[in-house]
Amino acid sequence: MSEWNCKRNALGTQMNGSAEQSDLVIGQPADIDKRKEVFGQNLIPPKKPKTFLQLVWEALQDVTLIILEVAAIVSLGLSFYRPPDAEREHCGSAAGGVEDDGEAEAGWIEGAAILLSVVCVVLVTAFNDWSKEKQFRGLQSRIEQEQKFAVVRGGQVIQIPVAEIVVGDVAQIKYGDLLPSDGILIQGNDLKIDESSLTGESDHVKKTLERDPMLLSGTHVMEGSGKMLVTAVGENSQTGIIFALLGASEEDDDDEEEKEAKKKERKEKKEKKTKAADGAAMEMQPLNSDEVDIDEKRKSNLKEKKEKSVLQGKLTKLAVQIGKAGLVMSAITVIILVVLFVVDTFWVQGLPWHKDCTPIYIQFFVKFFIIGVTVLVVAVPEGLPLAVTISLAYSVKKMMKDNNLVRHLDACETMGNATAICSDKTGTLTMNRMTVVQAYVADKHYRNVPEPQLIPAAIMDILVLGISVNSAYTTNIMSPEKEGGLPRQVGNKTECALLGFANDLKRDYQAIRNEIPEEKLYKVYTFNSCRKSMSTVLKNADGSFRMFSKGASEILLKKCSKLLTASGETKVFRPRDREDMVKKVIEPMASEGLRTICLAYRDFPVSEGEPDWDQENDILTSLTCVCVVGIEDPVRPEVPDAIKKCQRAGITVRMVTGDNINTARAIATKCGILQPGDEFLCMEGKEFNRRIRNEKGEIEQERIDKIWPKLRVLARSSPTDKHTLVKGIIDSTVLEQRQVVAVTGDGTNDGPALKKADVGFAMGIAGTDVAKEASDIILTDDNFSSIVKAVMWGRNVYDSISKFLQFQLTVNVVAVIVAFTGACITQDSPLKAVQMLWVNLIMDTFASLALATEPPTESLLLRKPYGRNKPLISRTMMKNILGHGVYQLIIIFTLLFVGEQIFDIDSGRYAPLHSPPSEHYTIIFNTFVLLQLFNEINARKIHGERNVFDGIFNNLIFCSIVFGTFIIQIVIVQWGGKPFSCVGLSIDQWLWCTFLGFSSLLWGQLISSIPTKSLRFLKSAGHGTQRQEIPDEELEDMEEMEEIDHAERELRRGQILWFRGLNRIQTQIRVVNAFRSSLSPYEGLEKPESRSSIHNFMTHPEFRIEDSEPSIPLIDDTDAEDDAPTKRNSASPRNNNNAVESGNNHLYVEGNKAAGTPSAPGSPLHSLETSL
């Protein structure tokens, strides 16, 4: 409290001072600017983006490019050395043949051209990275702009962007808000805050004016509402201070000292956090810094693995495999070229090694080396990650127009595999514009809103007073934006319907609110998912109390013991009367799809004294029922059609709602989720829980598996039920393919379900900040049909990548085989290094741009989801790759070996070093490029469609890239000269080259005529790693991860085995030493479990700033155990915070004891740590 008082006094002094100095009017723009100047803006400066030069430097780190640069520089240096002409003939026939001095002097051009090509590739890569970064920052700022907050300025409640909040503002806070700044509570109703993101404590903290009025930024409002005075913003707020500690606002330097400082800071922060979280933690010894470091590494490593999507996993694995094959091919090419040259020069021609000839020989070897490297450059598909990035970035940009704001990139692609959607009802399937259409009041059921004179005055007064005060004061009915339009509903839509009902009864709710402002409300029990009701207590002048309640009718009616009659008197309301009302009033309303709400009140006379307001069960009983209303929320007109599309696309739509089962069933039938005559299940949350739990009350997967395949509607469900259902579907093994589940949510308690789902959709309009924080995609229009668009875009991403793969692998196969065979037979690659780099640029950067930006079509929704284990390259694609590859090879080899006779030109084969470019090889290069250009059009279709031109003009990027590449190719051939090893061609030769290129379109038609089924020998490729392929020991470490990181496995398998072997040898030596020194054989040994987890030390991630994303409180302990790796920061505060979550860390199995003991200096574990 003393800290609070100091803060308040300081704030008052500062603000008074600033007001006195400038005589500013509070709330005016000048005053607000002054406050921003004095106290700072509500912004935490983002980390500086990488400059273009830094991105260029990163692109230069590519190994193949470095090898090319070195080779080009050596080639450049040697090209200036010329031995005396007399001695040249001693150097072998290959070195002769250069008559013209000008030609000899042009030897440097090839090296320079390679360097220039490298510069081009680097600039293009850096530019792509730069634009990607820019797009992400744009996306981030868009997300930040979306977030608005209600503040009171000049007596008016206005919504302002979070960044505009200044110290001294009075902010209105309500259920579901993420607090944007620090402040002091000045008025609160039943306010509970989740501070776990700061303290690690998952229990909600009750905030009152007397006890604990400090509110901190980054915490979540879990219940209640209130007003707070903003005391600190931006870098001075709690979140800002933590960001500064983590170094997020500093420049990220690779300096060792800085790293050390950060490590210490992080360690201190961890210790502080542990102490704050739990007193018991004080007794524990902190881990030593090495272990903390390893913990950090493993945590960030695990996080990286979690974030790798299915598609990226498959692609990385494929790229690694292709890269390995390319490496082998390029090595063989170099070896064969060197061997042939040595045999030909020193064996066949029988020449001795002349000292003067050494530079010439070295020049040959460098040339061979360059050819080998270019084979490698063409073989390694570095365009794959680029294609994924471009495709995803393009999709994300376009999805914004379709009302999908993507927060996590891979969610876009995962959505294409979705097999199930669990959707909310209100606002997603319905319009979220609620109106009261029926009412049961004064013993009578009105099918339309009754006329005011039909309701007795005594009942009317109680009814309107209850509606006006027992609702959030932030909820209002505003005048329509356009004349003749519908009134605007602001705030909770159910409350808006009730306020609209008061207006329909010709009463002004605002006048009552002005008379009884929010400060005069004695006690408020706000609505939450457990209560399913809201109550407000007023203190009367005579000292008695009256409580108004509203809530779900069947729940609140159970708590009613009286009923207001037409005469204004109360009569006893027995259980039998309640059953009658349910049958005659509530069920008929619900069967028409209406939501039923009961309005009631209770008086507490003075004679009974003030009740104990904390005994909620005693308070919320013996109510008097005033009225039951039926609220209509019409189905969105586009939803039935969208659901039909989903069902046709093989996606099951389930409705999960808190509404009455009859209302839910009626709406589900209107939407088309339930069809008449279907055998699908509709059940309530209670029944669902009863059927999935065993005698001990534990959830059993087998029981869930019996229910979920048939379940279509889950009514009266709590957020816990939603989470259980999602988890049950994801973990199920009933079907062959693992289900990919998308979930929509808007409430604070939907957080766990949104996080658990493969893709979480939060509502942009009705959603709380907590739900948005936990989601992957935000629906800016809260509309179900936008989810269908997300499915289309997701499938389109997958198809775009497959199209690119089909194109790239054809070029890869042909280019590598041509270079390899040509080199072996003619001792020179038909495609020169610079030409190869141009081909590489076409097929990597340009093709990825052209094919990854294809817009989606409705036809994507006519097939079933691919599933997680579907190979990237289907058998149809394999047929296309091999078919086109064989065709292109036939044409290129025909031109290579008999081209000179066909075109009646000189042969370009066996040309000596530095010889001028030949027409023969120019024709081969030109035909090869044109074949790829026309094949790019073939690659637009991957499912065997015949019309490859279908929709081609809808994609302007594709058309402009193909046309642009063709123009550049003409320029290169006609005017490229020596650098590109080209000679200008005649029109006849151009026409032949173009015809040969065009013929690949005709060949494509022939290939698509061959049924894939008849080609039994074809295999698909590009699977994700199957679980059965992974050794048991590795599975132990992977079982906590949702995805398997294929690149990690492919690249590190050798290292893992090596380290494991090393570790076992060290262990054996240790055992021998232990026996020798007659020690206990197990002293100082690590536990056997740690052996299998050694490869977790293998990664060397940079020091990463842990995500500052606040944790969502988990629903129950069992879920907390199951979901540890998928929830961020969700380690229980009662465990040792320094250790990684249980299940992820085999090394610190024994909790406090093991965590406190650093590895013994002599142990193999310690030596491994130091060596790493």
Side-chain angles (χ1 to χ4, degrees), residues 521-533:
L521 303 180
Y522 192 78
K523 171 84 181 155
V524 180
Y525 298 96
T526 50
F527 180 89
N528 66 27
S529 55
C530 305
R531 287 189 188 123
K532 295 253 188 238
S533 67

Side-chain angles (χ1 to χ4, degrees), residues 806 810 875-888 935 938 941-946 948 999-1015 1018:
Q806 179 175 303
T810 312
R875 291 177 67 215
T876 308
M877 286 168 63
M878 193 59 90
K879 175 184 77 176
N880 292 341
I881 291 168
L882 293 178
H884 284 291
V886 168
Y887 178 69
Q888 290 185 14
N935 192 34
N938 273 326
K941 303 294 173 192
I942 52 171
H943 298 298
E945 299 95 328
R946 282 195 172 280
V948 290
S999 65
S1000 71
L1001 287 176
L1002 306 174
W1003 181 254
Q1005 293 299 313
L1006 188 68
I1007 290 175
S1008 55
S1009 307
I1010 304 168
T1012 312
K1013 287 173 188 168
S1014 61
L1015 304 171
L1018 286 178

Side-chain angles (χ1 to χ4, degrees), residues 65 198 247 436 526 764 1043 1117:
L65 287 182
L198 293 179
V436 173
T526 50
E1043 298 305 340
D1117 296 338

Side-chain angles (χ1 to χ4, degrees), residues 933-941 948-949 952 958 962 1001:
L933 265 188
F934 285 100
N935 192 34
E936 201 164 333
I937 299 170
N938 273 326
R940 291 184 67 247
K941 303 294 173 192
V948 290
F949 291 100
I952 193 166
F958 182 89
V962 170
L1001 287 176

